[in-house]
Amino acid sequence: MHADAFSSLGFMTEFSQLGLSPTTLQAVAETGYTTATPIQEQAIPVALAGRDVLGIAQTGTGKTAAFTLPLVERLATGRARARMPRAIVLAPTRELADQVAESFAKYAKGTKLTWVLLIGGVSMGDQVAALNKGVDVLIATPGRLLDLFERGKMLLTGVEIMVVDEADRMLDMGFIPDIERIFKLTPPRRQTLFFSATMPPEITRLTTAFLKDPTRIEASRPAMTADTITQYLVRIPTSDPKAKRTALRTLIERSDVKNGIVFCNRKSEVDIVAKSLQKHGFDAAAIHGDLDQSHRMKTLADFRAGNLKILVASDVAARGLDIPDVSHVFNYDVSHHADDYVHRIGRTGRAGRLGQAFMIVTPADDKSLDKVLKLIKKDPEELVLDGVDFAAIQDGPRRDDKRGGRERSGERARGRSRAAPAPEPAETAAAAQETEAPRSRSRRKARPEARPEIEAPAPVAAAVEAAEPVEAPRAARADREPQLLQSDRRGDRKPAREDSQRQGVRGFGDDIPAFLRRPVVVRA
């Protein structure tokens, strides 16, 4: 978005021509931007006029400023009331919401507007305190916003502007029902700014239901990759994880990587790849949705500041993160959804800069690769990793393959049993006699001793007598009592229960509860 980057591309519309106030223009100038991108050039005037906007643009084209600048401009006059925000910005991930908050803080610098970031993974206390004071803008993920609303911490009846960013990502993450509910909680007479990189049918249905005669702005065709990105395809003959990690390390070593992002499909794979790179001396760290929020934010801050060279990520980092100077993107896995490939490689080649993107492809990735190639309508250049003998690389057993581990351990046990010599017939007979003798003795039970009669009403006595258990010998009970007391002191009653089962005690044993001894009064 810098002037020198866009001058060569022909994007020379000045921000001063878009109808922004001098205060906002000063804030924009302080960020170093002087010219607007196509989505900003078309969306800002329409949003300033109070109309709904349906913006479709590929990632990295400046959508954040396209809705943040008119939001600041329109809210500059007015004052927020406690627990009644005036605007909502919804983002699919915590990282994207945090980035929007940073942009809002820059562009609202010369105003008195207040905002609060509502995301999970952090304490609610500060968020609730800010809501109680009154904030103009909520920048939130759908889950945390609804959580606070259900707790009665805010009212949405005063919302004037609602922004939905990365709507297609919301669909992928299952947030569409939450978005619909939030729309219904806000006043119908609101302005809606709706941005998405693609327009699947479900998103089209949502815009039809909740946007009022929107102005459709399509800065580029959906799912088009930037021309500033050189794309490469690396085929390897095996799907073995160790071979894939070897290919990744080889690509990083042979490329002039200033900093790069490695994308994996699974969060568990992110951890494995990051640890593998660290083990081989690479400056790498992992980021995915299962990590603590403070850890994720610190990792991203280190990567932005240049203190971290390789960021291994799930698709949580594929959308909307504004890290402007990423030199390389490595697709360790071919994305399951073709749209995700576009967003992954969109982390490089931003704002007119050049970037390189690599995709490692195994024989198991043919279907996913076909979807990607049909979507981008390009044929990436194929690279061959000379000098790497993939046939000789084979990964060992995976630690997380519990089923395989049990099967292998069972096979080893069966192998040992097969290898053990068979016992002699005489030894088998002797062992059988030794085990049979105690078993036959254990079947002999001593007859219970006579019990003293207990005076009780006839009906109760009959019931007790009918349920009278077979009693163990008193000697056995006497031997058992110290163990029961000792197990009680330890807080572990399992030995006592096992001992009771061996002795055959049933029901109440020797003790008859007091309520069974009470006389029954029969009233006429």
Side-chain angles (χ1 to χ4, degrees):
M1 288 188 292
H2 290 279
D4 56 352
F6 285 98
S7 59
S8 60
L9 300 176
F11 304 151
M12 294 301 296
T13 300
E14 299 288 338
F15 278 106
S16 58
Q17 302 174 11
L18 301 181
L20 298 173
S21 66
T23 302
T24 305
L25 289 174
Q26 178 63 30
V28 173
E30 290 179 0
T31 61
Y33 302 147
T34 57
T35 57
T37 64
I39 188 67
Q40 295 166 356
E41 176 186 353
Q42 299 177 63
I44 290 176
V46 177
L48 289 175
R51 299 188 59 185
D52 287 2
V53 172
L54 174 58
I56 304 173
Q58 68 191 74
T59 183
T61 56
K63 293 194 298 291
T64 302
F67 64 77
T68 303
L69 290 174
L71 188 67
V72 171
E73 195 73 20
R74 295 205 63 204
L75 296 177
T77 58
R79 184 177 180 181
R81 290 178 289 177
R83 300 189 181 185
M84 293 187 66
R86 302 167 60 199
I88 297 175
V89 179
L90 294 176
T93 65
R94 302 171 186 175
E95 286 75 17
L96 183 55
D98 183 59
Q99 176 185 303
V100 173
E102 291 180 0
S103 297
F104 187 85
K106 293 177 182 178
Y107 298 136
K109 185 177 180 181
T111 69
K112 296 182 179 180
L113 295 177
T114 57
W115 54 272
V116 63
L117 180 62
L118 303 182
I119 58 176
V122 296
S123 173
M124 280 188 181
D126 295 338
Q127 299 173 357
V128 172
L131 290 171
N132 290 336
K133 293 178 181 178
V135 293
D136 294 287
V137 181
L138 299 183
I139 303 169
T141 52
R144 176 52 66 95
L145 187 146
L146 286 176
D147 191 4
L148 288 169
F149 176 82
E150 291 170 354
R151 294 169 184 255
K153 304 301 182 182
M154 73 179 77
L155 297 173
L156 300 182
T157 54
V159 173
E160 304 170 15
I161 304 173
M162 183 166 171
V163 180
V164 178
D165 192 17
E166 297 286 352
D168 51 346
R169 183 60 174 168
M170 298 275 198
L171 175 63
D172 295 340
M173 299 177 69
F175 285 147
I176 295 302
D178 292 342
I179 301 300
E180 291 178 332
R181 185 182 175 194
I182 294 171
F183 267 119
K184 294 176 181 178
L185 293 173
T186 57
R189 298 185 64 180
R190 65 175 182 278
Q191 181 185 12
T192 304
L193 309 179
F194 198 97
F195 291 87
S196 180
T198 58
M199 288 296 295
E202 186 68 14
I203 298 299
T204 302
R205 182 193 65 79
L206 191 65
T207 58
T208 303
F210 296 105
L211 272 66
K212 303 182 297 292
D213 190 23
T215 300
R216 183 184 178 102
I217 299 172
E218 191 167 353
S220 59
R221 70 175 180 85
M224 183 179 71
T225 56
D227 294 332
T228 55
I229 305 172
T230 305
Q231 303 176 54
Y232 298 97
L233 189 151
V234 181
R235 295 184 184 271
I236 61 175
T238 175
S239 301
D240 188 87
K242 188 174 181 180
K244 291 180 67 176
R245 294 195 292 271
T246 302
L248 174 64
R249 293 194 302 270
T250 304
L251 286 173
I252 296 175
E253 290 171 349
R254 296 182 182 181
S255 304
D256 185 17
V257 180
K258 174 184 176 182
N259 57 358
I261 304 179
V262 178
F263 284 105
C264 304
N265 288 343
R266 296 185 302 169
K267 289 178 279 191
S268 58
E269 201 72 46
V270 170
D271 291 326
I272 294 172
V273 172
K275 291 178 181 177
S276 174
L277 290 174
Q278 293 169 2
K279 180 180 177 181
H280 287 81
F282 292 91
D283 181 19
I287 179 173
H288 55 74
D290 286 349
L291 295 174
D292 181 76
Q293 181 63 23
S294 59
H295 178 79
R296 290 161 60 177
M297 295 179 71
K298 182 181 183 304
T299 302
L300 279 176
D302 289 342
F303 188 71
R304 284 193 178 105
N307 300 325
L308 179 65
K309 185 175 182 179
I310 304 294
L311 182 68
V312 186
S314 62
D315 283 314
V316 72
R319 301 277 186 125
L321 290 185
D322 187 14
I323 306 173
D325 197 12
V326 176
S327 63
H328 291 72
V329 167
F330 301 90
N331 286 278
Y332 178 82
D333 295 315
V334 180
S335 55
H336 295 313
H337 301 284
D339 291 340
D340 287 337
Y341 173 80
V342 177
H343 294 286
R344 286 179 177 184
I345 70 171
R347 298 310 97 206
T348 187
R350 297 172 71 85
R353 297 181 177 90
L354 300 178
Q356 293 183 332
F358 298 84
M359 179 167 50
I360 299 174
V361 180
T362 71
D365 297 325
D366 289 341
K367 291 184 178 179
S368 297
L369 177 62
D370 289 341
K371 294 178 182 178
V372 170
L373 297 181
K374 288 179 181 178
L375 181 67
I376 64 175
K377 293 180 173 58
K378 290 182 179 180
D379 293 322
E381 179 182 348
E382 292 202 21
L383 294 181
V384 178
L385 298 179
D386 297 326
V388 181
D389 186 7
F390 290 105
I393 300 174
Q394 183 175 1
D395 206 354
R398 296 285 297 274
R399 294 181 179 179
D400 56 349
D401 190 2
K402 297 180 180 179
R403 181 178 178 183
R406 287 196 296 269
E407 291 175 352
R408 287 189 291 270
S409 62
E411 291 174 359
R412 288 194 296 268
R414 289 193 295 271
R416 286 196 299 269
S417 64
R418 287 194 297 268
E424 295 294 333
E427 295 178 0
T428 305
Q433 291 178 1
E434 290 178 2
T435 55
E436 183 65 24
R439 189 180 305 168
S440 62
R441 287 195 299 268
S442 64
R443 292 196 183 102
R444 303 192 193 103
K445 295 185 178 180
R447 297 180 62 83
E449 298 179 15
R451 306 181 65 185
E453 295 184 0
I454 301 175
E455 295 181 2
V460 177
V464 174
E465 185 176 356
E468 189 71 33
V470 178
E471 186 180 0
R474 289 192 180 275
R477 289 200 308 274
D479 294 339
R480 188 175 70 251
E481 288 173 0
Q483 184 179 358
L484 286 172
L485 294 175
Q486 185 176 5
S487 64
D488 286 348
R489 287 193 299 270
R490 291 197 306 267
D492 180 10
R493 296 178 177 269
K494 184 175 179 181
R497 288 197 298 269
E498 293 176 351
D499 187 75
S500 299
Q501 293 170 2
R502 288 196 299 269
Q503 297 298 334
V505 177
R506 299 177 183 175
F508 296 117
D510 288 341
D511 300 324
I512 296 181
F515 73 88
L516 291 179
R517 302 182 185 181
R518 296 177 181 175
V520 177
V521 179
V522 181
R523 298 181 180 179

